[in-house]
Amino acid sequence: MAGTGLQRTLSIVKPDGVRKGVVGEVLRRFESAGIRIVAMKMLRLTRKEAEGFYAVHRERPFFGSLTEFMSSGPIVVMVLEAEDVIARNRVLMGATDPKKADKGTIRADLADNVERNIVHGSDAPDTATAEIRYFFSDLDIVS
Ligand code: UDP
Ligand code: MG
């Protein structure tokens, strides 16, 4: 497949990942894959901020539970940069439901269930741009 060029994507270690102490393990997997971390911070989302971030899922039955979970504790938010990093990060993450995720992926190895699945990753160039902007200004990202 043709390369997609240098890309950026938004990654989040969700509250379950911080609580379990696997932030370092997730970062290690990115760095081992040659993916550069070009911005990073820890913060705790308010319920409203979690609802804003996941607005695309507003009508889904899991929206209430998801936004409660996402605002339940600190998260680590990162901008990742590499060739084709949007798709490559999704491969490292594994399927949304850890029971369906390939062995060796972050979710298969570390996650408890389809909601508490350790990581978020943008799914396309337009969502990556919007999600990065939700958390970071251009001045926060190293070049
Ligand atoms: N989610 C959930 N139940 C579901 C599907 C998704 O609780 O049946 C949560 C889960 O935390 C997931 C997030 O909602 O990561 C966003 O869902 P999406 O379909 O975008 O999955 P992702 O892109 O994170 O793999
Ligand atoms: Mg998604």
Side-chain angles (χ1 to χ4, degrees):
M1 206 180 100
T4 52
L6 193 63
Q7 290 180 332
R8 286 175 176 169
T9 194
L10 186 83
S11 170
I12 302 178
V13 181
K14 297 182 178 185
D16 56 336
V18 174
R19 229 172 262 135
K20 282 185 170 182
V22 296
V23 174
E25 172 61 17
V26 171
L27 301 193
R28 189 194 64 74
R29 289 176 186 229
F30 295 152
E31 292 181 325
S32 297
I35 292 170
R36 288 179 297 284
I37 299 158
V38 294
M40 177 162 63
K41 61 184 169 188
M42 176 176 269
L43 58 94
R44 181 171 175 169
L45 291 171
T46 65
R47 185 71 180 265
K48 282 264 175 303
E49 288 165 345
E51 289 170 356
F53 181 73
Y54 277 118
V56 57
H57 294 307
R58 205 181 309 106
E59 306 303 328
R60 308 285 286 278
F62 56 81
F63 183 70
S65 179
L66 172 63
T67 55
E68 181 180 14
F69 162 57
M70 286 300 292
S71 56
S72 68
I75 60 176
V76 174
V77 190
M78 283 165 274
V79 179
L80 305 180
E81 186 177 82
E83 296 279 322
D84 198 23
V85 73
I86 297 171
R88 288 181 56 209
N89 178 45
R90 299 286 310 191
V91 171
L92 291 175
M93 288 163 59
T96 307
D97 184 346
K99 292 198 296 289
K100 297 176 185 155
D102 290 337
K103 223 177 138 224
T105 63
I106 292 167
R107 284 164 165 175
D109 293 352
L110 304 174
D112 288 339
N113 58 55
V114 67
E115 178 181 88
R116 294 167 189 245
N117 58 5
I118 303 285
V119 277
H120 168 84
S122 308
D123 60 6
D126 57 331
T127 52
T129 300
E131 290 176 0
I132 289 168
R133 192 170 302 141
Y134 199 75
F135 289 103
F136 296 100
S137 94
D138 287 348
L139 292 173
D140 297 322
I141 303 174
V142 299
S143 52

